[in-house]
Amino acid sequence: MTGPHVLVVPYPVQGHVIPLMELSLCLVKQGIKVTFVNTEHNHERIMRAFPSGNDDLVSQIRLVWIPDGLGSSEERKKPGKSSEAVLKVMPEKVEELIDSINGSESEKITCVLADQSIGWALDIAEKKGIPQAAFCPAAAAQLVLGLSIPKLIDNGIIDMDGSPLEKQIIQLSPTMPSVGTENLVWACLGNKTAQKHIFQLMVKNIKSMQKTEWLLCNSTYELEPAAFSMAPEIIPIGPLLSSNQHGCSAGNFWSQDMTCLKWLDQQSPRSVIYVAFGSFTTINTTQFQELCFGLELCNRPFLWVVQPDMKEGTKHAYPEGFKERVTGRGRMVGWTPQQKILSHSSVACFVSHCGWNSTMESVSNGIPILCWPYFADQFLNKSYICDLWKIGLGLERDGRGIITHVEIRRKIEQLLNDEHLKARAANLKEKNQISFGESGLSNKNLDNFIRWIKS
C-alpha cells in the first residue's frame, strides 16, 4: 500500500504561497509526500530565492510548475491579466498535471489541498474522485465576508457584479471587524477587469468550499472568536509560522537579506521601527519621499524593506542627502526574513500594509502596528488591529490623499509611547501562543487533519 500524497495548489501570489508552504512543511514532517504546484514564473523566483544551506527544504517537498499563459513581465503587469490567467488558463494545466502524476507514478495523489481562492482546483479533485481540503491564508472574518456574498446581494448592498450600490460600512456582528463597501476585497483593486474576475472566482468558490470536508484557516480562535462562531465549518490551524515548526521560512519570491539581523543585534532593545509593505504595494514619488522624511524626523533606528517593485515608475529616488543623513541608524533592504525580524528583541513597532501574514507574525510577537493598508483584505485587517484588538493605530491622509511626514512621525511617537497599547499587544501574543501549544486548539485541529490525510 502506498503512502499519502498531497497535491498543494496555492493562488499564485507571494502572500498565499508562503503559508501553504509552511503547512506543506508541517505535512512532510509527518511523513506525508507533498507535491507543491507553482506557476513557472513563481517557481523560478522561489528557486532563485531559496537561502543557501537550506537545500534540504527543496528535497522535502517536490516543487513543480505549470504555465499560467502569461508571457513577458510587461504582460504580467497589465490590469486583470493575472486574475484572468488564474481563472481561464491554470485549471486545465492543473488537471493535466494530476492526470500525468496519477498515470505514471505508484504514489498517486490521495488528497488535493488547494487555496480556497481557487475553488476550481477543489472541483477538479472532486471530478476525479480525489478527497480535497481548502485552505484560507487570510483572516476567518474575510472568509465569512466572502461566504456572505449572496446575502450582500439579496440585501441590496452590492450588485450581481460585486459593485457596491452605495457607500456604507459593513459589520456582520458587533464583535467582527468592519469594512467600507469601497474597500471590499474585490472592489478595491483599482481595475474593473480584475474586479470582475476576482468576484466571479469568489462566487464560484462558495459552491466549491461547500463540498469539501476541511476548510482550514491560518488563524486562531483566540484572535477571531466571532468569525469562527458565525462559520463553525472554518477550522483554525494558525499561526503557521516557521518558528513553530521548522525554523526556516520557505517560498519567498526574493532573496532575503540576512545581514540585517546582525545590524539588529547592534541596536538597543525595543528601539527599531520596522517598515515593510509586502509584495504588492506601490507608492508614488511624493508619498515615498514623505515616508523618508517621516522616518528621518523620528530620529530613531529603522529597518525599511524597499523591494524592487515598490516604487511606481523609474524616476523615483530618495530625497537628496537622505541616505547620508540616516547613515548608521537607517537601513534599507530589498527583502527580509520577516518572521526573524519581528521576533527580534530590538524591534519596537511595525509600519505595515496589514497583510494577514504580516498581521499574524506581528501579533505572534507582541509588536504594535502602524497601519498603512493598500488594497484587498488589508482594510478589514486594519479594523481588527485598531478597533477590536486595539494594538495599533491608523494613518490619516491629507487633502491630496498623501500621508505626510508630520503624520507619520506623530503616529509613530504615539504608538511607541502608548503603554496600554503595548500591554494589549503583549497580552494578545500570550493568548495567541496558546493556540499552537501542545494542548492548543490549532495544534489539535492540525493533528486531526494529518490523521485524516493518513487514513
Side-chain angles (χ1 to χ4, degrees):
M1 181 178 176
T2 60
H5 181 186
V6 179
L7 186 77
V8 179
V9 191
Y11 191 93
V13 295
Q14 178 72 103
H16 292 238
V17 168
I18 286 180
L20 263 174
M21 186 72 79
E22 301 281 6
L23 179 53
S24 296
L25 287 167
C26 293
L27 300 183
V28 297
K29 274 188 68 177
Q30 300 299 320
I32 297 169
K33 181 177 179 179
V34 171
T35 297
F36 196 99
V37 185
N38 284 302
T39 62
E40 180 180 10
H41 179 67
N42 289 346
H43 177 83
E44 292 172 353
R45 298 170 79 184
I46 288 170
M47 297 306 293
R48 285 196 302 266
F50 256 107
S52 59
N54 285 283
D55 294 339
D56 59 319
L57 288 176
V58 184
S59 64
Q60 290 180 50
I61 299 176
R62 181 186 178 193
L63 300 174
V64 301
W65 60 266
I66 58 171
D68 60 10
L70 299 177
S72 64
S73 57
E74 288 75 20
E75 185 179 8
R76 293 179 184 282
K77 294 178 181 178
K78 290 180 181 178
K81 276 294 181 181
S82 178
S83 56
E84 183 178 357
V86 171
L87 196 60
K88 297 183 178 180
V89 178
M90 289 179 62
E92 178 184 351
K93 300 303 179 182
V94 167
E95 186 165 3
E96 289 175 358
L97 176 64
I98 293 174
D99 290 340
S100 174
I101 292 173
N102 286 349
S104 61
E105 296 186 18
S106 58
E107 294 181 313
K108 300 186 186 302
I109 295 167
T110 58
C111 173
V112 170
L113 171 58
D115 194 309
Q116 63 84 25
S117 301
I118 47 174
W120 50 257
L122 301 172
D123 297 337
I124 291 170
E126 183 192 30
K127 183 175 75 171
K128 297 186 177 299
I130 302 171
Q132 64 269 184
F135 173 77
C136 175
Q142 180 58 54
L143 187 50
V144 171
L145 189 60
L147 293 171
S148 301
I149 284 175
K151 183 179 178 182
L152 297 178
I153 293 174
D154 290 342
N155 291 343
I157 295 173
I158 59 175
D159 63 20
M160 297 297 292
D161 292 326
S163 299
L165 294 176
E166 61 179 276
K167 191 174 180 179
Q168 59 181 295
I169 300 295
I170 298 174
Q171 189 173 25
L172 298 179
S173 85
T175 51
M176 288 271 282
S178 60
V179 63
T181 49
E182 75 278 11
N183 290 326
L184 289 168
V185 65
W186 59 86
C188 61
L189 300 175
N191 176 267
K192 287 291 184 183
T193 302
Q195 173 183 319
K196 179 182 177 182
H197 290 148
I198 293 296
F199 188 72
Q200 286 177 350
L201 204 55
M202 292 185 71
V203 171
K204 290 182 179 179
N205 291 343
I206 295 173
K207 297 177 181 178
S208 302
M209 285 186 288
Q210 290 171 346
K211 302 173 186 176
T212 182
E213 187 173 342
W214 294 88
L215 180 51
L216 307 170
C217 184
N218 184 23
S219 185
T220 71
Y221 186 85
E222 287 75 15
L223 287 179
E224 303 189 80
F228 288 112
S229 295
M230 288 188 71
E233 68 271 24
I234 304 174
I235 303 169
I237 59 168
L240 288 168
L241 306 175
S242 58
S243 57
N244 286 338
Q245 294 293 328
H246 38 81
C248 183
S249 180
N252 288 279
F253 289 177
W254 294 275
S255 296
Q256 301 172 72
D257 187 331
M258 305 303 288
T259 65
C260 59
L261 294 172
K262 293 182 179 179
W263 180 83
L264 284 174
D265 290 340
Q266 301 168 7
Q267 310 305 316
S268 301
R270 296 291 177 254
S271 65
V272 176
I273 303 164
Y274 176 56
V275 186
F277 299 119
S279 57
F280 267 108
T281 305
T282 58
I283 57 180
N284 61 37
T285 305
T286 301
Q287 185 62 82
F288 183 81
Q289 296 197 346
E290 286 292 328
L291 178 52
C292 289
F293 290 133
L295 293 172
E296 182 181 353
L297 284 172
C298 285
N299 202 30
R300 295 174 180 267
F302 65 87
L303 175 62
W304 182 9
V305 181
V306 188
Q307 55 99 352
D309 297 332
M310 180 179 174
K311 292 177 289 181
E312 294 176 348
T314 58
K315 299 180 181 179
H316 303 67
Y318 294 97
E320 185 176 353
F322 170 76
K323 289 186 176 181
E324 293 75 16
R325 293 192 299 271
V326 301
T327 296
R329 68 175 178 88
R331 188 175 179 91
M332 287 75 75
V333 298
W335 199 249
T336 63
Q338 182 162 287
Q339 292 184 28
K340 293 182 183 296
I341 299 294
L342 290 171
S343 64
H344 199 284
S345 60
S346 70
V347 173
C349 70
F350 185 11
V351 182
S352 172
H353 66 307
C354 304
W356 187 246
N357 290 330
S358 292
T359 300
M360 288 290 283
E361 291 161 6
S362 196
V363 166
S364 297
N365 289 288
I367 303 297
I369 305 170
L370 185 59
C371 299
W372 194 319
Y374 177 63
F375 82 141
D377 63 330
Q378 297 161 13
F379 297 97
L380 190 80
N381 301 339
K382 177 196 171 188
S383 180
Y384 259 140
I385 293 163
C386 298
D387 304 330
L388 294 181
W389 302 334
K390 300 184 187 301
I391 60 166
L393 300 172
L395 290 156
E396 300 297 328
R397 297 180 183 271
D398 67 8
R400 301 168 297 165
I402 296 294
I403 301 171
T404 67
H405 63 276
V406 174
E407 170 72 356
I408 292 166
R409 178 190 182 185
R410 183 174 71 87
K411 286 295 176 62
I412 288 177
E413 294 296 336
Q414 184 181 340
L415 191 71
L416 294 179
N417 291 319
D418 190 330
E419 296 302 324
H420 294 294
L421 186 149
K422 287 190 281 187
R424 286 192 294 270
N427 180 60
L428 197 59
K429 170 188 174 180
E430 292 181 9
K431 290 174 64 177
N432 206 45
Q433 284 178 332
I434 295 171
S435 297
F436 223 91
E438 198 167 313
S439 59
L441 181 59
S442 286
N443 196 41
K444 289 180 179 178
N445 288 337
L446 182 57
D447 285 346
N448 289 337
F449 177 58
I450 290 170
R451 279 195 292 270
W452 174 78
I453 291 175
K454 291 182 174 181
S455 62

